[in-house]
Amino acid sequence: MTLVGTSARRADGEDKVRGAARYGMDYLEHGTLVAKVLRSTVPAARITGLDCSKAASMPGVRAVATAADAPGLSGLMIVKDQSLFATDVIRYVGEPLAAVAADTAEQAEAALAAIDVSLEPLEPVLDLEQSLAEGSRLIHPDWESYETAMPGTRGGNLAWESRVERGDVDAAFDRAHLVVEDEFRTQRQHQSPIEPHVAVARYEQGRYVVHTPTQFPFNVRGRIAELLGIRISDVRVIVPPIGGGFGGKLDVMVEPFACILTRKTGRPVRILNSRSEELATCGPRENAIVRLRTAVAADGTLLAQDGEVIADNGANSSGETVLVANVAPLVLGGTYRIPNARYASKVVYTNTPPTAAFRGVNGPYCVYAQEQHLDRIARELGMDRRTLRMNNLIRAGESMVNGQQLDDAFLTQAMDKVDEIRPWQDAHTERKPFRGVAVVPLTWITNPLPAAASIKLEEDGTATVTCAGAEIGTGAVTTGVLQIVAEQLGLRLEDVRVSPTDTDTGGYDGGAQGSRTTYGMGNAALDAATKVRDQVLDVAATMLEAGSDDLEIADGTVRVTGVPDQHVAVASVVATAMFDSGPIGASGKFATPPIPFDSGCMAGAAVTSFAAPLYQAHMAEVEVDPETGRVTVLRYVVAQDVGRAINPQMIEGQIQGGVLQGIGYALFENLRLGDNGEVIDDDLESYRLPTAADAPPIDAAILENPCSYGPLGAKGAAEPPIIPVAAVIGCAVSDAIGTTMKELPLTPFSVLQAMTEDQD
Amino acid sequence: MSHSFTLNGQPVDVTVAGMTSLLSVLRDQFGLLGAKLGCGEGRCGACTVLVDGEPVDSCIYPVANAEGAAVRTVEGLESDGEPLTRIQDALLEHGGVQCGACIPGVVMTLTALLETESRIDDSTVRSSLSGNICRCTGYQKIIDAAQAAANANGGPQ
């Protein structure tokens, strides 16, 4: 029986197609109150008064929460600069000021309107460069007092800086044949899953029980505790089926309000974001400026690169932007040999809604900049753009910018596979006016965080996996991990189940992020399954009077290898074990092994290396309408190394979905900010998401280049397909119109403008 | 105000304001939680149900408009004793379901398409899905599923 490598149907699929799956947004409890949050309408102000007395006495109002109820300072792991409610100072439009629990939504809304807020306006700081400029007003005047999880360069409106430096950059520039310099600017992109943020909390036996569709239950648990100033273990997070996340549900968002209000009222409290609140307040991918200066030899060899990435943190570090700041240097210096490099990744405060994790953190805009920049270098040298890339690609055994040796580098193979599907030469010879082509290779990370799982065998011979891995929708928990377990235990897939995600029952897990579930949870579950298998074989060996080495398990039956009539059902083994060695079950765990890198070359780096690195190449052919500037993606090719494909169909689904999210980012998704730093695009009419009409034909090739410490060789698969998309489409557009596009998204207006400027 | 219609074949009667959305009637009065409140703006299509065979965004569809109509939701789909309808089965077979929050709406849109169109190809499926946003899949596997289900229907492909 071979389950691993097959496109098994997802175990939670029937409920989903029947409409029977109960998502976070469907979860209700009896007697639940409705919570609403009062949010700031100004970007910067001193709070001189907040009077909730009238609101508190209104009909149906059960409790009002304010800053006094949430004394803690928190932040996503690195800088603790976030309070749940604005205390003395407002720092962005949308910042919470108070929250109300009432019998109905209308009563809660009415109460919010009755809260009296007095403000003294402050000068808002909205622009990245303005924020860093000398004499700019400090958004966090007390920045020095904030706790940080590690040392790093900070100061003024610079929330965090990560630096990487290798070799002698200045000397390399001195001897360069060519120096090219570019600046790129990119926009905010919103995750916009179908299911908004929602939570139901109740206070029970002195603890907070929170039902929330989060990607990272243990993070939400810890962040609630930190913001409320309570013990971590006094919070229990239970995760119903998740209606999409893409990074947007990694962090705490609405849960703490429900917790405070349930404690105050003694009633369950539910809070559900409107679509407008989602877009306006739930951290998007950060806007950024990327500046690159590169020294090149006459033959196109990259000699040195000096790069600066300035990313918008928004008003505080509640999102992942600071935590992953060092991903920018690693991705800039992870695909090509750049022997001398100096990168600074700066995360900057502004009076705008905080930014956060979106699939491919830091990656898409850094890759966009790097690849447009390389295409310019190729054009200046008169070199073929693919050849320039092939000549500079990191080969197996060579090192990334952090000194990490990529023993399994598979970039040339990925490029070759793409070329096999759509030869670069053919794409060029078949070229028509206003058509462009580009190809982009990329090294990326698998999130290395730890995982735990336990498995028990039931009296009927089936198996139950218990873990706190969150099923975000990829199928990694409900199918991929189960395929690994079923194969290891010799059970049918339908005889292995996973219990609901709950921080009280599952061991620590690093969340559904960075493609880590199949890798991390897969490893932990495989560890547990191996132990369970050993227990089964030990007991069966006695029952069958055979050596356990001579046994095999398949279809729920233990057999003596080569003696088909000597067998016993797993259920019988479970029953025998019960009063012999005890019930069969085991726990498994996983931590990513240490990855050697050069620690001396980095400062302020929370992410220091690329665990279970994976390799891919994307190619696109586009057509630009010279009249309208509209870009059409004619053809798209992906070759992606996944280590080992546990479920190929699900991986294809991740590739297709990731590429379309990337196309949205490349061509039209743009969460714009207005003159007050407020989100303008606060509905799905103006923030347009890709539809079926936007999806181009995609050829996807899955490559298997096993990771020595991945489960059965698997590495991450789900996150990376979004990352090179804007780059490959941007480069193809630049190729089509003969002008380097310096900004995203590539709207008809910006493309037309670039074409017009080019003619001038 | 009282409103009468059939819901998944059964006559029903609800007393709510006429402008109450059909979605909130389905979810709050009848406990049918399959259709989702994705955006509440008639943009995402996660709330799609069929009114007299036509897909509508039930989040912005006043219940008064359903007066006398046949309303069908994902919970009411039946397939001659088979556990799933062809489109439901094909969506799973082709890997068209990821988080699944859009899927009840997608299932209803494609059910209407399969019931009304004699010729189904890539472009008819894409245009029928113009009002259903799926943020996960990139649509291709949903389109594959719809075409396969049409084939299984004895369609022209």
Side-chain angles (χ1 to χ4, degrees):
Chain A
M1 178 171 54
T2 303
L3 276 171
V4 167
T6 65
S7 294
R9 282 192 183 196
R10 54 183 313 138
D12 56 354
E14 279 211 20
D15 277 1
K16 289 184 173 183
V17 296
R18 286 177 186 283
R22 290 290 165 262
Y23 292 85
M25 59 181 153
D26 302 317
Y27 182 79
L28 295 169
E29 292 189 12
H30 276 295
T32 298
L33 299 173
V34 179
K36 297 276 178 188
V37 177
L38 180 69
R39 297 181 177 278
S40 168
T41 55
V42 299
R46 195 170 304 286
I47 303 173
T48 53
L50 184 77
D51 183 359
C52 299
S53 55
K54 192 176 162 207
S57 62
M58 287 175 68
V61 174
R62 303 294 171 174
V64 181
T66 61
D69 298 304
L73 278 176
S74 185
L76 191 44
M77 295 181 189
I78 305 296
V79 181
K80 308 294 172 75
D81 59 9
Q82 176 206 12
S83 54
L84 182 62
F85 296 101
T87 44
D88 301 325
V89 174
I90 286 170
R91 296 190 174 88
Y92 67 95
V93 173
E95 186 163 15
L97 301 175
V100 169
D103 293 346
T104 70
E106 293 73 21
Q107 289 167 336
E109 297 279 4
L112 294 186
I115 295 174
D116 194 15
V117 187
S118 309
L119 301 173
E120 271 173 20
L122 294 169
E123 187 61 33
V125 180
L126 303 174
D127 176 78
L128 283 176
E129 287 162 303
Q130 176 204 349
S131 178
L132 284 178
E134 190 93 13
S136 190
R137 189 180 66 81
L138 293 190
I139 291 169
H140 287 270
D142 297 334
W143 65 269
E144 270 178 299
S145 69
Y146 297 144
E147 190 189 325
T148 59
M150 57 181 289
T153 302
R154 304 160 61 217
N157 285 335
L158 179 68
W160 193 261
E161 182 174 302
S162 297
R163 295 188 72 86
V164 177
E165 185 156 2
R166 284 190 80 71
D168 191 337
V169 175
D170 296 326
F173 270 96
D174 287 344
R175 63 168 202 273
H177 166 75
L178 173 72
V179 173
V180 175
E181 194 166 350
D182 279 309
E183 179 181 295
F184 301 89
R185 287 171 188 253
T186 61
Q187 80 282 27
R188 292 186 176 203
Q189 183 189 21
H190 200 266
Q191 301 86 351
S192 292
I194 294 294
E195 178 189 53
H197 287 85
V198 59
V200 175
R202 66 172 187 273
Y203 192 67
E204 189 177 274
Q205 296 179 35
R207 300 172 75 216
Y208 298 87
V209 180
V210 189
H211 285 77
T212 180
T214 175
Q215 295 176 234
F216 192 174
F218 281 94
N219 177 50
V220 166
R221 188 174 80 148
R223 295 269 279 130
I224 292 171
E226 202 164 52
L227 288 164
L228 270 56
I230 57 176
R231 283 198 311 183
I232 288 174
S233 55
D234 285 343
V235 182
R236 174 183 178 192
V237 172
I238 300 169
V239 183
I242 306 169
F246 319 111
K249 288 180 182 159
L250 282 173
D251 202 13
V252 75
M253 206 61 72
V254 294
E255 298 88 349
F257 304 114
C259 287
I260 294 169
L261 292 166
T262 190
R263 178 78 199 268
K264 280 176 171 271
T265 60
R267 300 260 300 267
V269 172
R270 177 173 189 251
I271 181 165
L272 167 71
N273 267 354
S274 67
R275 186 55 55 177
S276 161
E277 282 174 300
E278 282 292 293
L279 287 156
T281 67
C282 296
R285 184 189 309 287
E286 62 280 5
N287 51 302
I289 302 169
V290 183
R291 297 179 177 131
L292 296 174
R293 195 169 136 259
T294 303
V296 194
D299 65 355
T301 302
L302 301 177
L303 301 175
Q305 188 166 67
D306 196 351
E308 181 184 41
V309 178
I310 305 175
D312 200 339
N313 200 30
N316 61 45
S317 309
S318 59
E320 219 179 24
T321 315
V322 164
L323 176 66
V324 296
N326 199 55
V327 171
L330 296 184
V331 75
L332 285 168
T335 300
Y336 304 102
R337 281 186 306 270
I338 305 177
N340 306 286
R342 180 166 55 214
Y343 295 118
S345 176
K346 298 173 180 176
V347 182
V348 177
Y349 289 121
T350 57
N351 285 122
T352 65
T355 59
F358 188 148
R359 192 178 194 173
V361 290
N362 290 62
Y365 54 82
C366 287
V367 178
Y368 177 74
Q370 181 73 290
E371 298 297 327
Q372 290 275 23
H373 184 65
L374 288 179
D375 270 6
R376 243 200 86 195
I377 291 170
R379 279 193 278 268
E380 299 221 0
L381 290 171
M383 236 180 124
D384 174 71
R385 293 176 295 137
R386 184 175 186 274
T387 306
L388 177 86
R389 286 174 170 77
M390 293 302 285
N391 291 351
N392 285 287
L393 275 186
I394 291 177
R395 261 72 173 176
E398 294 176 345
S399 295
M400 290 175 39
V401 69
N402 61 344
Q404 177 186 349
Q405 196 172 306
L406 299 178
D407 291 322
D408 67 344
F410 217 59
L411 291 162
T412 54
Q413 292 88 337
M415 289 287 274
D416 288 345
K417 186 70 193 177
V418 165
D419 207 52
E420 190 185 309
I421 297 169
R422 177 60 171 153
W424 179 251
Q425 212 47 53
D426 294 358
H428 275 79
T429 48
E430 292 163 18
R431 251 188 76 162
K432 294 175 182 164
F434 298 106
R435 287 199 178 181
V437 58
V439 64
V440 168
L442 181 69
T443 305
W444 190 250
I445 183 176
T446 307
N447 184 303
L449 291 177
S454 59
I455 299 173
K456 62 174 175 138
L457 293 189
E458 309 292 349
E459 298 95 302
D460 56 8
T462 63
T464 303
V465 180
T466 300
C467 69
E471 175 51 69
I472 190 179
T474 59
V477 176
T478 58
T479 311
V481 168
L482 296 189
Q483 281 177 266
I484 292 172
V485 169
E487 173 136 327
Q488 184 67 8
L489 293 179
L491 297 178
R492 300 180 309 165
L493 187 57
E494 54 268 39
D495 290 339
V496 182
R497 70 189 64 78
V498 60
S499 58
T501 307
D502 184 337
T503 55
D504 265 13
T505 57
Y508 185 89
D509 178 71
Q513 56 171 333
S515 319
R516 65 166 288 285
T517 299
T518 302
Y519 161 79
M521 185 57 69
N523 263 319
L526 182 60
D527 181 35
T530 304
K531 293 172 185 167
V532 166
R533 183 186 172 90
D534 288 347
Q535 292 175 28
V536 169
L537 293 181
D538 275 352
V539 175
T542 309
M543 293 170 75
L544 292 167
E545 297 178 341
S548 57
D549 291 346
D550 297 329
L551 302 181
E552 60 188 22
I553 320 178
D555 292 325
T557 302
V558 187
R559 289 191 176 81
V560 180
T561 308
V563 191
D565 58 344
Q566 238 182 312
H567 57 84
V568 59
V570 170
S572 304
V573 176
V574 172
T576 303
M578 202 72 84
F579 300 98
D580 174 9
S581 50
I584 292 179
S587 292
K589 57 188 178 178
F590 175 69
T592 296
I595 295 165
F597 61 93
D598 173 10
S599 58
C601 73
M602 286 182 283
V607 179
T608 52
S609 58
F610 274 7
L614 49 95
Y615 311 94
Q616 56 185 334
H618 286 213
M619 181 202 200
E621 291 174 74
V622 306
E623 183 167 57
V624 175
D625 183 331
E627 304 288 322
T628 64
R630 189 186 145 94
V631 175
T632 303
V633 181
L634 302 172
R635 181 158 189 185
Y636 206 94
V637 183
V638 176
Q640 182 177 329
D641 157 33
V642 301
R644 171 91 180 268
I646 305 294
N647 186 313
Q649 186 187 61
M650 287 182 173
I651 293 168
E652 270 177 28
Q654 291 305 311
I655 291 173
Q656 292 165 351
V659 167
L660 192 59
Q661 285 177 348
I663 287 174
Y665 180 64
L667 298 181
F668 48 83
E669 285 187 48
N670 183 3
L671 192 75
R672 294 170 300 170
L673 300 177
D675 293 343
N676 276 321
E678 81 284 12
V679 169
I680 294 174
D681 302 295
D682 68 347
D683 62 40
L684 294 183
E685 179 163 4
S686 97
Y687 191 82
R688 183 165 99 69
L689 296 170
T691 69
D694 298 305
I698 299 170
D699 286 310
I702 295 170
L703 309 178
E704 294 192 312
N705 169 39
C707 171
S708 60
Y709 46 90
L712 311 174
K715 41 179 94 163
E719 180 177 45
I722 193 175
I723 298 166
V725 183
V728 71
I729 290 176
C731 289
V733 169
S734 298
D735 180 43
I737 67 174
T739 303
T740 301
M741 296 299 296
K742 297 290 183 75
E743 297 191 5
L744 285 174
L746 306 165
T747 64
F749 306 104
S750 65
V751 173
L752 267 189
Q753 191 182 2
M755 292 169 81
T756 316
E757 280 168 5
D758 190 42
Q759 284 162 8
D760 290 344
Chain B
M1 180 102 191
S2 176
H3 306 277
S4 303
F5 52 94
T6 67
L7 178 55
N8 295 327
Q10 300 290 318
V12 296
D13 194 73
V14 285
T15 304
V16 290
M19 285 303 287
T20 307
S21 73
L22 178 58
L23 179 66
S24 55
V25 169
L26 293 173
R27 291 181 66 93
D28 302 342
Q29 310 279 326
F30 294 106
L32 297 175
L33 302 180
K36 305 296 179 213
L37 179 69
C39 68
E41 303 163 347
R43 289 280 154 195
C44 76
C47 63
T48 305
V49 300
L50 304 187
V51 176
D52 286 339
E54 287 285 327
V56 304
D57 289 323
S58 65
C59 74
I60 52 167
Y61 192 87
V63 68
N65 283 16
E67 185 70 43
V71 175
R72 291 162 66 200
T73 71
V74 69
E75 290 88 351
L77 295 177
E78 288 175 13
S79 186
D80 302 331
E82 295 295 318
L84 298 172
T85 66
R86 285 198 177 97
I87 188 63
Q88 288 173 322
D89 190 62
L91 281 166
L92 294 179
E93 184 60 24
H94 290 265
V97 178
Q98 288 185 28
C99 92
C102 72
I103 289 297
V106 166
V107 164
M108 297 316 288
T109 294
L110 295 178
T111 296
L113 178 74
L114 292 175
E115 286 175 357
T116 55
E117 292 294 320
S118 56
R119 288 189 61 83
I120 289 171
D121 58 18
D122 182 87
S123 82
T124 48
V125 178
R126 279 177 204 268
S127 60
S128 80
L129 287 172
S130 62
N132 292 88
I133 289 171
C134 172
R135 189 57 153 162
C136 294
T137 65
Y139 302 99
Q140 190 57 53
K141 293 188 181 302
I142 294 176
I143 294 164
D144 295 345
Q147 292 187 260
N151 281 337
N153 255 344
Q157 276 79 34

